[in-house]
Amino acid sequence: MSLAKSPWIIHVNVNSCNGCDIEVVACLTPLYDAERFGVLNIGTPKQADIMVVTGSVNYKSVNVLKNIYNQIPDPKVVLAVGACASTGGIFHDCYNVIGGVDQVIPVDAYVPGCCPRPEAILDGVVAALSILEEKKKGNIKGKEVKLKGNEVPSNA
Amino acid sequence: MIENTVMLLIIVPLLFSLLFVALPKSLYKILAWALFILGAALSVNLVLDGTGVVQIGEPNFAMLENVVLILEVLVILFILAVSAKYKNWPTLGLGIISAAIFAYTFSNVPKVEGASFNIDQFSQVMILIVNIIGTAIILFATGYMDQYEEHRHLNRQKTFYFTMSFFLAAMNGLVMADTLGWLFLFWELTTLCSFVLISYNMDEEGINNGFRALALNLVGGIALSIGIILLATNNVSTLSGIGTYAGTNAAALAAVALPVALLCVGGFAKSAQMPFQSWLLGAMVAPTPVSALLHSSTMVNAGVFLVVKLVPAYAGTSLGTAIAVYGSFTFVMCSALALSQRNAKRVLAYSTIANLGLIIASAGIGTPLAVAAAIMLILFHAISKALLFLCTGEIEHTIGSRDIEDMSGLIKKAPLLTTLAALGMVSMLLPPFGVLLTKWVSMEAASSNPVVIVFLILGSALTTVYYAKWLGTILSSSMDKNAVPHKKLETYFPLSLLGLAIVVTSIFVFPIYDYFVKPQVDILLKAAPAISGLAGEFTTEIGAFTYIVIFVVLALAILIYLATKNMFTPRMSSYYMCGENNLERDRLMFRNGLCSYEKSSVSNIYLQNTFGESKLTTLGYAISIILIAIALLGGIGL
Amino acid sequence: MLDNVIQNVTDIKSMPEVLKTVEGLKNDGYRYVTMICLKANEGHELIYIFEKDDKLKHLRYFVKPGEKPKSVSGIYLCALLIENEYQDLFGLTFEGLAIDYKGHLYLTPNSPKTPLA
Amino acid sequence: MTTVIPFGPQHPVLPEPVSLKLEIDNDVVVGVLPSLGYVHRGLEKFIDTKDYNQTMYICERICGICSGIHGITYSRAVEKLFDVEVPERAQYLRVINSELCRIHSHLLWLGLFADGFGFESLFYECWKYREDVLDLLERFTGNRVIHSMSKVGGASRDLTKEQIDQILKTLDDLEPKVKNIEKVFVNNYTVKKRLVGLGVMSKQLAYEAGTAGPTLRGSGNAIDVRNTADWDIYRDLGFKPAVAKEGDCYGRTKVRIDEIYESIKLVRNAISKLPNGEIETRVKGFPTGEAVMRAEQPRGEVVYYVKGKGTKNLERLKVRTPTFANIPSLLLMLPGVKLADVPIVVLTIDPCISCTER
Amino acid sequence: MGMLNLVLTNISRKPATRLYPFEVRAPFKEFKGRIVFNPDNCILCGLCQKKCPPDAITVTKADKTWELNVFRCIMCTECVNGCPKDCISISNERAKTGAKEFIKIVVPIVDKPKAAPSK
Amino acid sequence: MNMNDILTIVLVLIGAPILGCLASGIDRRITARLQGRVGPPILQPYYDVKKLLSKDNMIVNPSQNFYVIVYLVFIILSLLMLVFKQDFLMIIFVYTVASLALIVGGMSTGSPYARVGSSREIMAILSYEPVLILYALAIYLLTGTFKLTAVLDASSPLLIYTPLIFIAMIVVLNIKFKKSPFDYSTSHHGHQELVKGMTTEYGGPGFATIEIAHFYEYVFLTGLIFLFWASTPIIGVLIGILVYLLIIVIDNITARVYWQWMLKLSWSVLLIISIVNIAYLYYSQAKLV
Ligand code: NFV
Ligand code: SF4
Ligand code: SF4
Ligand code: SF4
């Protein structure tokens, strides 16, 4: 139960229009107060359990997403918030968009909507909690996602 | 027995200095080892021999007195010659004054019959420092100087080793001599050694700084010699005699006040207290072993040694209070000055001055507890500082810089060296180590004087800050692992020895206190502090320092760490760089706006604006000169 | 083309003249608003937009294929972002940029090149 | 040796991927290099595949905070191409939506800004009040942040009598609440300690640096596009731009707080003058020609350039957003401030990266 | 002092928090929650697919399916307005959070019995 | 060491973290209420620690966890020394070891944010350490010994002689709790320019250790306030709680300020008022009885 009572989230905005971001932040504010469930928006991935990703992934932020994902200690859960993060949303065939977050890292739960209401995001966090618990029990580790090919710029 | 040891202590280093000149470079290592072993053996032997006074009577005395006379003339001639050669007029002027005073002494002051060496516990402590730490430093130098000279295209090692071991002899003489005239000779000889070694590089900077050291020490020497002359008018010609004389009655106490104050000023100059501190900072251009030997653990201690020895002549008087305030002022001022320094050797230099100031302050307070603190601090400080200087030297050879900022990540490059350096720093500012213990004792002792204690409090907070910065920097793991330094025995043996000494002396602080310090304080003040060392506690009348518990807890922490290290599946990861890094590359790199990787770095806070050197130095000069003037005027009896 | 919709357009023929005009506008107290880039007849059309007292002023300049236009970021620092943007998106090269992102303002080596060109 | 540290893209102070490389010497910033592209989607290319009606939804999603005005401005730009006149009621509805958006955006910013200087409870206070506005918007448009209220040719939702009452009531409640937080922002000692004299831009400098919106007005320039000839509704409503002379973070904060009051006033006036009638004109055919349309976003002036070539897709859409204009001013303001001030200075331009990069 | 007043008022009042999920506030009737599809009248004309900005709807004439990618829909109501048969409506209930499997709603369009002419 | 002492040690070892955990839970709860929220359950810090302990031990530097263990054990030691009425000056030095261990731990990770945070925290030492030692000095002046026995055995409270130092100590506590306006080196939530400051690279068990140490530290620091009215323990505890509440309120009504400002505040205001207080004690020769 311990994980389920203290989910610390790290919010990663990869390619989002801010709509989802402000709703994620709104979850933490008094009217929704996610801290009731022990949710803390912690700054550093090293202390986070749930990675809340908003926005589709683009070619520049893919590195950020992978690095942050790798830096979260196991067990960890990725929550994709919004149409963009889930499937690429309205931007799914823009030239600079790779697609939903699951194209890059494994996603455990999705929150639909553009943008999703804070209630929906809270639902997502609650859903993530049970997944977190399962992962802890099953000792399921997240795989390390490597940067590949030209995602690593040759240094100038 | 004891006579022989005393003589050997002076003669053996002299012999070695000649050997260093005579024998080729390739044998230096062996010589240094031999010197180390002999020095250690002799000093331990002296301790085993116990205390006592060695009288030198006729016929040896006449012969030796002549030697002394010749040497003094040579010293003065050397000063005059060298300052004339380099056209350093202030030094020349001071040399002429010294010569005049010497001539005056020679013709007017009554001659003494016989001379004496006084071996008390304090001298024993000093001898141990000089002959164990000092020879260890020379040993270290054999692993150090080659690379040093290579960098600077020098070839003067003969001079170097000659002077170093000659210095040991002079220093041994200095701490044992009781006759003021002889003491003065040894005093000037150490000054000369210091001059030679500071200008070792023979470049402009070195020579200028050497002359600054020479000049300022000559000022001190002049004060010292005037003091001696004044004392001679009271028929006091030995160091121990001053206390005895002052103890006879109130009038005698008042009579020696001015000469004692002058002797103290001499001590201040030697210990580079404000306003003389600039010579010690300049001395940092010398090779690091020199800084370690002369400018932190031994020669500068001669100043405070003298001041502490004079305690009976001013304890409890207003002169004592003035000295205490002066010392604590130097302590806080130099600690503040160290705050804005990023050159490791300058930090150490300021820290040295500050700690000497603390010793002087403790001596000035003059209670048994305080004097005990002063003597112990001399010992602990010498060990820690020698280690720190040597480590800095070795660090410089490892990374090519003595800038604290460049040392970040050192733990990855040279773990053992870094651990030793860290131990040195920790021992300077944290319990349960000796330096802190003595700082604690002196704080408790000083709490009767509001000004001194406030200065000490501020100073100790500042000390924590500048060491913490450095400590954190060397322990931070940011540099990638490359260039592991070659470990040389003659480098790491002295370092480890000093490290070990820190731990051992700190653990056995009470026996050390009991054996060396307590009787000495008894001699000086005819009263010993009420300190007990039961149950691993160092208990004074107003507090207790539970050092053993802390050692135990520290060991516990290490144990817990080792036990839990692998309990929670450790996994190495990359740094948090806001997501813009890459594990495979340098772990501190991040991708910047131009899509290329760049290294992140962090420098410490140095507060140059608030604690800037020039601003504070000016302030320090002003206040310290005022304080010295007060002390002297108080001596005259105003 | 209904040119009447955007008004106050000046066509400029050569790059030095653009710089001179821009310089002049700055001295007249105009604010740099932005620059539009359009594909036109193999080359690109640049429309500089300036504003003063709520009046817009447009400068139109045609960049021939292969030509390297000069940056006005030396005159108006704020022009640097938009010029860098067009380096990314249209593959133009502006000379004399205050900060040159070299085509990496938005795009990285792994993303599509010059998507709007 | 200077300190070089990355600030962003994933950084807890800002929910958005603002990314700067900071060079710091002695706790003072000496160099900044912004890094962009984390939210670049390529929306300006997107119009190739979407028709001009669908493009409205894309423009709204340039940014979720200022989306309403994006949609409105886009619609107006295309209407200019078609040369159609939008019914007056629709115009008023657009103003009401715009101003409610502005209130929500400014409250949001005030909150994030407070968080930027470590004033968590003030942050929460602002966001608490903001929820009232979001409720209004939700009832008005059907969504909390992305409203899709405007469409080419008019508005897609009308206001009912009941909703109008709700709006007026909520605004009456909101005004004293804003006064409360204004007191804190303007008077609190620690807040003033952090804001006054920080990131100063003179009137001239702000003007020449091409800044927009509160960043520009915080330095004493009374430039606000709501005031212009393009759209006279605002002048009918008695609009006055909010200006502060200080030119520092404090001034910019005051401008934004004043704008909240101004917006409340505008909404009230617009409601009182709300004409009856249609809310939409049908637009037929395909857009041709080119047009520039400007509007005042919460963060400043947005410029839309649209070009049609007689097909159902536009040929070129270009948006110059206010943050795009304000970012260069960071290069001027940041050098010389302390590291601890970086988030504050960055936040005072109210950066919106998704707007900037589209 | 302004802030002191505010925090003290806060602590003296009931918290402003809406206790979701324990107390659920009824959604506003205007709220655009999710798309509801009524297959009865659909003629598979594909207009909705064409209008949908994020391409969330796929109408496959051959398989006779109407498919909605809920996780892509942005609730713009273009399809609602665009459907000639008013098959699509919008509900003020939210789409549910879920894992990937729930992402699509596939509705087979059953052939309607031929209408009046045959009679 | 007799049975009683061992019992006390065990009691402190177990009791202090429970108290500290509750205190920090209450802190979060009150903070939430001050912000108009419901807030987490009181036991939230306990859940947090439990969770952290069950997570992977992600490290950037093999030795980084050593420093937090030193931090923990030395906090415990200083608390124990306080409970056993040891030399106060010594307690402060031991406490410095703990603070320094955390700082060095932060720096040892090498992360730029942690290093900047640590160097700011070093500056915090510069501002609070003198006040703490002056507090010790005041106790010495009033009782003639640095041992706390005298304070705890006295029948009159310390506070009436040391009101100014009391005020300074409130600020010191504020600094030590790392609460606004002094949360510049690491903040409890990570919303600051330095992410989580010193603790940026700590996660899982390492961070749990820091949290547990914080629990002890809470008790230790409140204990320092308790000393001001130790003669009537109930009042002492009450004052401790009041100061704690005051700090929570201050946390919620102030913005974060610069460390420079703190340094100025402490070296001008705090030091001066403490020294004035000390001077008064010197010249009045007041004694605690
Ligand atoms: N206001 C606004 Fe935008 C626009 N356009 C701006 O930079 O916020 Ni997202
Ligand atoms: S889902 Fe909608 S609101 Fe969220 S980021 Fe994407 S476009 Fe913006
Ligand atoms: S839902 Fe409506 S628009 Fe879509 S295919 Fe069916 S009838 Fe056509
Ligand atoms: S509401 Fe909009 S996005 Fe959703 S299915 Fe309909 S047209 Fe597509």
Side-chain angles (χ1 to χ4, degrees), chain E residues 35 48 51-54 56-57 68 72-80:
Chain E
I35 298 298
C48 49
K51 291 233 168 186
C52 178
I57 301 178
L68 171 67
R72 191 177 273 169
C73 171
I74 57 168
M75 257 63 75
C76 65
T77 66
E78 277 289 295
C79 54
V80 179

Side-chain angles (χ1 to χ4, degrees), chain A residues 18-124:
Chain A
N18 281 341
C20 289
D21 298 271
I22 56 177
E23 294 296 60
V24 168
V25 179
C27 278
L28 305 164
T29 56
L31 257 62
Y32 298 94
D33 192 21
E35 207 185 339
R36 285 178 293 145
F37 311 108
V39 172
L40 268 191
N41 183 8
I42 210 80
T44 155
K46 307 285 169 84
Q47 293 161 14
D49 310 300
I50 302 182
M51 181 176 181
V52 175
V53 192
T54 54
S56 48
V57 189
N58 77 5
Y59 288 95
K60 191 154 187 181
S61 54
V62 59
N63 292 19
V64 181
L65 194 63
K66 287 179 175 177
N67 279 323
I68 301 276
Y69 179 78
N70 289 341
Q71 288 175 355
I72 302 178
D74 286 314
K76 56 186 164 193
V77 164
V78 179
L79 180 64
V81 170
C84 290
S86 305
T87 61
I90 193 167
F91 308 127
H92 66 102
D93 55 2
C94 283
Y95 65 81
N96 204 30
V97 171
I98 295 177
V101 176
D102 46 9
Q103 308 283 314
V104 182
I105 56 172
V107 175
D108 299 284
Y110 300 83
V111 181
C114 177
C115 24
R117 299 180 62 82
E119 282 99 337
I121 300 174
L122 283 181
D123 281 349

Side-chain angles (χ1 to χ4, degrees), chain B residues 576 578 580 598 600-601 603 608, chain D residues 2-4 8 10 21 38:
Chain B
Y576 173 68
C578 297
E580 269 301 18
E598 184 166 355
S600 80
S601 61
S603 73
Q608 271 108 342
Chain D
T2 51
T3 300
V4 182
Q10 196 283 325
K21 181 193 89 180
Y38 298 97

Side-chain angles (χ1 to χ4, degrees), chain A residues 18, chain D residues 63 65-66 70 297-299 302 321-323 352 354-355:
Chain A
N18 281 341
Chain D
C63 172
I65 303 174
C66 51
H70 269 301
Q297 285 272 27
R299 286 153 190 77
V302 62
T321 55
T323 307
C352 177
S354 57
C355 277

Side-chain angles (χ1 to χ4, degrees), chain F residues 66-96:
Chain F
F66 171 65
Y67 302 103
V68 298
I69 291 172
V70 173
Y71 172 48
L72 176 65
V73 294
F74 274 84
I75 282 284
I76 297 178
L77 181 63
S78 38
L79 180 60
L80 282 174
M81 288 173 72
L82 191 70
V83 172
F84 283 105
K85 309 175 192 173
Q86 294 282 308
D87 186 305
F88 194 33
L89 203 51
M90 193 62 209
I91 296 178
I92 293 172
F93 286 142
V94 172
Y95 183 51
T96 311

